[in-house]
Amino acid sequence: MAARVPTYRFERDLWRGGAVRIVGVDEVGVAPTCGAVVAAAVVMRPHARRIPGVRDSKTLSAGQRDRLAPIIRRRAIAVGVGAASVREIDTINIYHATHLAMRRAIARIGGHDHVLVDGNRIAGFEAAVGPYSAIVDGDAKCYTIACASIVAKVIRDRMMALLAARYPGYGWERNQGYATREHRNAIRRLGLTPFHRRSFLALQRTLAGDQISLDLFDEVVDTFEKADELDELDRLDGHPGETLEVLLAGRPSEASAAAIAEAESILRNANETSTPTGADTAT
C-alpha cells in the first residue's frame, strides 16, 4: 500500500484567513528507552511548490530522509529544533517532556501566526504557543508537519549515532534506542548508560531478574511533587542555555569535547533560519 501524500489542505485554510507564518511541528523519540526526545518546527513559504517525496518520516528510508532534510531547510522560511533531555524525561515524564521539546522548537522559529501539531489537543499548549490546531496523523496528512517529521527524525538519528560511538554494543546507530531485541540483550549484558530512561517500565522489565538490585530511580529528581507542572515547564522554557543537556541528554562530565562540539554543530545548523530559494508556487 502506497504511503499517503500530505497536502496543503490545512495550511490553505489558514493562508486564506491571512496567516503567513504557519508552523508545522512534530516529534521523534517518544517510545525509545534512551536518548532525548526531539521536536522540529518548520515554516514553509505560503503556496510554495511541494517537495517531491515528502511523506511521514516513518514511511521513508534513512537515505530518503537524509536527501530530503537539507532540501526542506533550503526551501523553508525557518526551521527550529528543540529537545528534552533524559533527565527531563525521567523528571517530568515523557508526555510533558515531549511538549517541552515542541515548545523549544517553536521558540526558535522567531515568531509565527499559527501552529499545526501532530496528534491530539494538548492541555495548556495554546497558552504557551498561541493559536494552534492538533491534527491526528498530521505527519501523514499535513505537508508542513511531514516536513517537520523528517527534520526531527534526521536530527535525532544523528544524535543517537554520536552516542553509539561513545557507548558501543547497544546498536543505537541501528535501533535509535528503541527496545529491539538487540538493544534489550545489550542492556542485560552491559547494563545501563547515563542516557537510558530509568523511569520507563520497558527498561525495568528488561532488567528484572538479572539486575533486580539496581535502583532504577536513584537519579530521578522529583521536582514536581509540590509544584504546578505548567509553571515549572515555563521555568524550563526560560532557560534554553542547557545546550549540552538538551543535545546529548546527559551530564557535561560524561560527554567528550568532540561529541559536544559535533552535536552542537548539528543542532546549530538545524536551527539556522533558511532563505527560501526559487520562485515556484503551488498551483
Side-chain angles (χ1 to χ4, degrees):
M1 181 176 173
R4 185 170 186 169
V5 179
T7 70
Y8 275 137
R9 170 191 161 196
F10 302 95
E11 293 90 337
R12 282 197 182 99
D13 289 342
L14 294 165
W15 287 330
R16 291 189 189 108
V20 176
R21 291 178 67 89
I22 299 170
V23 186
V25 182
D26 200 12
E27 49 67 30
V28 174
V30 170
T33 56
C34 69
V37 59
V38 174
V42 174
V43 180
M44 301 304 290
R45 186 161 42 88
H47 307 290
R49 190 176 299 278
R50 286 178 290 154
I51 300 166
V54 167
R55 305 283 190 278
D56 172 5
S57 64
K58 296 186 292 295
T59 69
L60 301 172
S61 68
Q64 289 172 320
R65 292 191 296 265
D66 287 340
R67 179 184 64 82
L68 288 167
I71 300 174
I72 291 168
R73 286 184 51 215
R74 288 196 301 270
R75 298 277 188 92
I77 293 175
V79 174
V81 178
S85 71
V86 168
R87 182 169 62 86
E88 289 168 331
I89 292 169
D90 279 344
T91 301
I92 63 177
N93 76 40
I94 187 61
Y95 176 81
H96 291 300
T98 298
H99 301 155
L100 179 59
M102 289 179 176
R103 289 162 61 170
R104 285 172 170 162
I106 294 167
R108 290 189 167 104
I109 286 296
H112 60 275
D113 298 318
H114 196 93
V115 175
L116 300 172
V117 62
D118 181 37
N120 297 303
R121 297 287 297 180
I122 304 166
F125 201 65
E126 188 162 9
V129 306
Y132 84 101
S133 302
I135 305 169
V136 176
D137 294 328
D139 45 8
K141 300 174 183 176
C142 173
Y143 176 75
T144 309
I145 294 177
C147 288
S149 78
I150 292 170
V151 172
K153 176 64 173 167
V154 168
I155 294 299
R156 189 178 189 278
D157 284 359
R158 289 177 184 174
M159 291 167 65
M160 292 308 298
L162 278 176
L163 291 178
R166 293 173 51 202
Y167 291 91
Y170 295 90
W172 292 342
E173 70 277 18
R174 292 181 295 276
N175 59 51
Q176 290 79 47
Y178 287 88
T180 62
R181 177 176 295 181
E182 173 190 35
H183 190 188
R184 295 196 307 273
N185 288 340
I187 291 170
R188 294 188 184 102
R189 186 176 71 255
L190 302 172
L192 296 178
T193 73
F195 300 94
H196 278 100
R197 302 172 182 177
R198 285 160 167 76
S199 60
F200 269 40
L201 182 60
L203 199 59
Q204 299 173 40
R205 287 174 173 167
T206 297
L207 287 166
D210 50 350
Q211 295 191 35
I212 195 67
S213 63
L214 179 64
D215 181 359
L216 295 174
F217 300 100
D218 60 358
E219 295 184 18
V220 178
V221 181
D222 187 10
T223 59
F224 292 87
E225 189 173 16
K226 298 180 180 178
D228 179 83
E229 290 180 341
L230 290 178
D231 286 347
E232 186 65 14
L233 288 177
D234 286 338
R235 184 189 67 76
L236 289 172
D237 275 345
H239 294 76
E242 293 184 279
T243 306
L244 176 69
E245 195 84 43
V246 170
L247 283 173
L248 294 183
R251 294 173 175 77
S253 61
E254 294 158 349
S256 69
I260 294 170
E262 187 172 356
E264 286 179 339
S265 175
I266 289 173
L267 199 61
R268 183 171 59 251
N269 290 337
N271 281 319
E272 287 178 351
T273 299
S274 305
T275 301
T277 59
D280 290 344
T281 56
T283 56

